Amino acid sequence: MTTTMQLPRDGGGAALPVLRPIRTQSVAVGSTSAATAEVVGRRINPLTRAVRPSDFSGLIQWFEAFDASTLTLRESGADRFVTAWLDKSGAGNHMAQPTAANQPKLIANATPDGRASVRGDGLASYMTGPVIFTSPRDEEATIVGVSKATKTGASQRIWCISNSSSTPQFSVRFTAANKIEVLARGAATAELQEPDSLADAADSRWHAFSGRINAVDGRGETALDNEAFQVGDNGSPFSNNLFTTSPTGSTLFAIDGSGGLSQFLEGDISAVAIFNRALTDGEWASLRDGYLMPLVAPETVQVARLVSTTDCYRDECRYVPAGRRA
């Protein structure tokens, strides 16, 4: 059987120019031409992360490890340690760690799309910031972010705010059961709510998390984990305010209350954003799909080089991604 390749022509009937391949390969199949596509790399879709936490009102803390303009670094040999992490919310709720032995490390090319993260050592590294909730109304809040842990079977704080007795009132952590947990505690211990993710989270993979305290009925609610993302209610309603005593400042990588440090994160934080209100379901889902998930699983486009035995003509040779038909 003989296959004839028709020359593509323009509107006036003239043949379109020939596209010559960068290199050729001697492959012949009967009288037909043969071509192969070789994947030579990938690029990140520039349309990812189309939504930002700053698109929504009530943002009071926002940290991105891959925004170099927000980081103050201390160099030690080949390593770089974070001494200050600027809040991008505009509220000025920055994080800092002046003590060298307690500073987390900046890791280049750490995230799935090749961006930087900040890494805790699980032993002593943490950062502290100012009080961000100051009134009883602040039982209403939302937190979203992306993190990973490399240690299993241990509770490890990602972000936390406590009252003056060191009891955590609102926080996110990897639990001893290797889940991601959003913890919300009312005035009474019986009102403790710890909605967990369904999937194993302490597996060295990146995980998105989201949780909120809804002041309408006092519920702690979660939309947790890229393997089991959901938006809905978890736990019974609170009857008391979260902060019946003065809260301490916020912390990253550990819990810090009444001067006591514990539950250090052995892992990375890519982004964390905290709001002083309960985002709506629509806002919550928008941040999940437009901000969190692209950080966890970015859409990538393969870059291919075409190798052909003969000249190829415009509109006749196309690279079609796997799973799609030409």
Side-chain angles (χ1 to χ4, degrees):
M1 180 180 67
T2 301
T3 301
T4 302
M5 180 181 288
Q6 298 294 324
L7 295 177
R9 298 180 182 276
D10 62 20
L16 292 172
V18 173
L19 297 178
R20 301 209 177 256
I22 297 175
R23 61 188 175 89
T24 61
Q25 178 176 304
S26 297
V27 177
V29 182
S31 58
T32 65
S33 65
T36 59
E38 174 191 7
V39 176
V40 296
R42 72 173 189 171
R43 65 178 176 84
I44 303 304
N45 189 326
L47 298 180
T48 59
R49 292 178 302 278
V51 176
R52 300 291 190 274
S54 54
D55 295 336
F56 306 96
S57 65
L59 184 64
I60 55 174
Q61 271 191 322
W62 179 24
F63 304 101
E64 288 186 329
F66 41 83
D67 185 347
S69 68
T70 66
L71 299 173
T72 302
L73 303 175
R74 174 183 64 86
E75 295 190 3
S76 177
D79 295 326
R80 293 181 295 171
F81 295 89
V82 181
T83 64
W85 199 347
L86 298 183
D87 168 27
K88 297 180 63 171
S89 74
N93 293 317
H94 311 306
M95 291 289 192
Q97 181 49 269
T99 304
N102 302 125
Q103 291 165 357
K105 185 186 297 186
L106 182 68
I107 306 297
N109 302 316
T111 66
D113 64 353
R115 293 179 177 237
S117 71
V118 178
R119 178 171 297 172
D121 62 9
L123 299 173
S125 55
Y126 70 99
M127 304 195 78
T128 60
V131 173
I132 58 173
F133 295 119
T134 58
S135 72
R137 177 190 176 279
D138 294 321
E139 65 182 281
E140 182 173 280
T142 303
I143 182 168
V144 301
V146 174
S147 184
K148 74 173 182 178
T150 55
K151 181 168 58 178
T152 61
S155 293
Q156 305 167 77
R157 301 283 170 170
I158 300 171
W159 177 93
C160 185
I161 187 166
S162 307
N163 67 15
S164 58
S165 64
S166 80
T167 303
Q169 303 292 5
F170 185 42
S171 65
V172 176
R173 68 179 176 180
F174 292 99
T175 71
N178 302 332
K179 311 294 183 184
I180 298 180
E181 170 190 273
V182 170
L183 185 149
R185 185 191 295 269
T189 303
E191 295 172 356
L192 176 68
Q193 297 183 48
E194 299 174 296
D196 291 349
S197 63
L198 303 179
D200 183 15
D203 55 6
S204 298
R205 296 174 55 196
W206 287 97
H207 294 265
F209 59 83
S210 179
R212 68 183 173 187
I213 303 167
N214 192 340
V216 174
D217 58 4
R219 287 187 183 276
E221 305 167 317
T222 58
L224 279 169
D225 216 334
N226 34 300
E227 290 90 350
F229 244 122
Q230 59 186 0
V231 174
D233 294 344
N234 294 87
S236 57
F238 286 119
S239 59
N240 296 317
N241 295 321
L242 272 176
F243 298 104
T244 54
T245 56
S246 300
T248 61
S250 54
T251 58
L252 289 168
F253 298 99
I255 174 176
D256 181 18
S258 297
L261 288 161
S262 62
Q263 298 189 12
F264 293 91
L265 172 63
E266 182 177 305
D268 295 43
I269 295 175
S270 171
V272 176
I274 298 94
F275 299 81
N276 65 2
R277 66 183 181 90
L279 298 185
T280 67
D281 283 356
E283 292 170 326
W284 210 1
S286 180
L287 272 173
R288 176 196 66 193
D289 297 336
Y291 182 69
L292 299 176
M293 292 311 297
L295 287 170
V296 172
E299 180 184 358
T300 60
V301 179
Q302 288 185 328
V303 178
R305 177 186 294 119
L306 183 68
V307 180
S308 175
T309 60
T310 61
D311 291 338
C312 294
Y313 298 90
R314 186 174 297 165
D315 294 334
E316 289 298 313
C317 290
R318 295 182 298 154
Y319 172 65
V320 182
R324 296 182 59 184
R325 300 183 61 182

